[in-house]
Amino acid sequence: MRRLVREHELRASDLIQPLFVVHGSNIEREIGSMPGVYQRSVDGALEREVDQVHALGIPAILLFGLPAAKDEIGSENFAEDGIVQRALRHLRQRYPDLLLITDVCCCEYTSHGHCGVMRDGAVDNDATLEILGRVVVSHAEAGADIVAPSGMMDGMVAAIRAALDGAGHTDRAILSYAVKYASAFYGPFREAADSAPAFGDRRQYQMDPANVREGLLEAALDEAEGADILMVKPALAYLDVVRAVRERTDLPLAAYNVSGEYSLVKAAARQGWIDERRVVLEALTGMRRAGADVIITYHAQEAARWLAEEAGR
Ligand code: PBG
């Protein structure tokens, strides 16, 4: 009877698996603060993982790259042979029907670790838009289906849409990190992507956790600029924001179950303090109930496996 009257469903097809790619060969390096999450080289190491994602019915991956070298403007971010571009070409050929999404930001690529180019100790918003345009065109050319700008620059969606269209990539979509908070829950990610700011923090461009109306404004702006999917990030401490955005837009909505949310669960599970499987499925179901159509989560493969087992019962 509970199954018959269930109001919200969590499915493997709702999930996006984030993956970290690095230069080199045969690399499969576990991230200390994120047990079960690895940096992988673009060869068998990555293929083994993506084969599993695909086999589990997870429709999409979100790629993050660690460059060989960093500089002031993050040149590898838009290089033809950059790490994400190489991964895209490799995966596009091998998995024609897997949705390839790329995170589009400067922080992994710049020597200072900020999400844009700097001028006088602050991010230069409009100079950054020009760089983002070059990044998305290089990702589209390498085979990305969706680009996901995460830097919270003003006007980023419009600039990216114009750059893609100008290069003939009118068929590529934009998943905007529209409502992104300056959150301590990104802590473990900064180890995974080696992207911690060298000085200062991200409060110039990321939102105050105390604000929800500002999030609605950010979402409305991105929708007007041409975003195809909106995102709220992080997820668990912001489910009210997910619900509020859901009620204001008819666009598909994503929630990002971020690194710190993942690591908290993993740490408690290792101690034997929680039932990991139930906690994960409950948290992901809560995101769906709050109004998220799509969930980006490091738990994607485990969750898909558990859901398949439950369906088989
Ligand atoms: C890049 C970016 C970040 C995350 C996704 N893209 C880090 C940040 O903004 O500092 C965080 C993801 C996570 O914590 O899982 N700007």
Side-chain angles (χ1 to χ4, degrees):
M1 195 188 297
R2 289 168 78 89
R3 274 187 57 216
L4 183 68
V5 298
R6 181 165 296 153
E7 297 174 34
H8 297 279
E9 213 61 67
L10 177 68
R11 305 164 301 192
S13 60
D14 304 321
L15 306 177
I16 297 176
Q17 173 72 57
L19 293 172
F20 298 94
V21 290
V22 294
H23 289 286
S25 51
N26 295 314
I27 295 173
E28 203 154 43
R29 194 184 299 132
E30 192 169 26
I31 292 141
S33 55
M34 299 179 74
V37 178
Y38 294 78
Q39 297 170 343
R40 293 189 165 83
S41 50
V42 183
D43 51 19
L46 182 62
E47 286 163 14
R48 280 191 294 280
E49 183 74 357
V50 179
D51 282 348
Q52 282 185 47
V53 170
H54 200 48
L56 286 164
I58 296 165
I61 59 169
L62 172 61
L63 286 172
F64 294 93
L66 286 90
K70 303 183 188 232
D71 60 30
E72 274 290 306
I73 64 163
S75 308
E76 191 180 319
N77 209 354
F78 46 84
E80 203 191 320
D81 60 349
I83 182 62
V84 165
Q85 291 82 354
R86 284 186 42 220
L88 284 168
R89 286 201 181 84
H90 190 88
L91 296 172
R92 182 73 297 159
Q93 221 181 352
R94 195 175 160 99
Y95 310 93
D97 62 346
L98 180 70
L99 206 51
L100 303 180
I101 311 176
T102 56
D103 183 85
V104 174
C105 194
C106 297
C107 62
E108 296 98 330
Y109 297 87
T110 50
S111 42
H112 44 73
H114 277 287
C115 300
V117 293
M118 305 295 284
R119 198 177 58 187
D120 303 330
V123 167
D124 183 338
N125 189 93
D126 293 5
T128 302
L129 298 184
E130 202 195 313
I131 304 255
L132 297 180
R134 295 170 71 176
V135 174
V136 294
V137 170
S138 77
H139 287 180
E141 271 159 16
D145 299 295
I146 303 182
V147 294
S150 64
M152 288 298 278
M153 296 299 126
D154 293 338
M156 67 184 184
V157 174
I160 284 171
R161 187 70 269 160
L164 288 172
D165 292 353
H169 301 295
T170 53
D171 58 343
R172 309 310 163 91
I174 301 174
L175 190 180
S176 180
Y177 287 67
V179 188
K180 178 171 175 181
Y181 291 90
S183 172
F185 285 98
Y186 309 150
F189 173 91
R190 291 181 184 167
E191 180 192 341
D194 186 26
S195 65
F199 53 87
D201 55 37
R202 302 212 197 291
R203 288 182 297 172
Q204 184 198 342
Y205 35 97
Q206 297 182 350
M207 286 176 44
D208 182 345
N211 291 359
V212 61
R213 286 200 318 271
E214 184 186 10
L216 298 177
L217 274 173
E218 291 281 357
L221 281 168
D222 284 10
E223 179 165 355
E225 290 178 25
D228 299 285
I229 307 175
L230 299 175
M231 187 204 296
V232 172
K233 175 187 175 190
L236 285 176
Y238 298 87
L239 293 181
D240 59 322
V241 183
V242 173
R243 167 54 48 195
V245 174
R246 171 72 292 155
E247 285 171 3
R248 289 283 191 98
T249 182
D250 291 320
L251 287 179
L253 181 60
Y256 197 141
N257 177 216
V258 301
S259 58
E261 298 171 339
Y262 174 88
S263 299
L264 290 177
V265 170
K266 286 288 168 186
R270 283 190 159 188
Q271 298 281 339
W273 291 343
I274 57 168
D275 178 336
E276 182 178 7
R277 172 178 175 147
R278 289 188 56 202
V279 165
V280 169
L281 293 179
E282 185 175 331
L284 298 179
T285 299
M287 293 168 208
R288 294 275 293 146
R289 194 186 63 243
D293 303 293
V294 176
I295 300 169
I296 302 167
T297 178
Y298 304 97
H299 297 291
Q301 289 175 74
E302 282 176 326
R305 229 170 261 125
W306 291 326
L307 289 169
E309 276 176 33
E310 274 173 26
R313 267 184 205 155

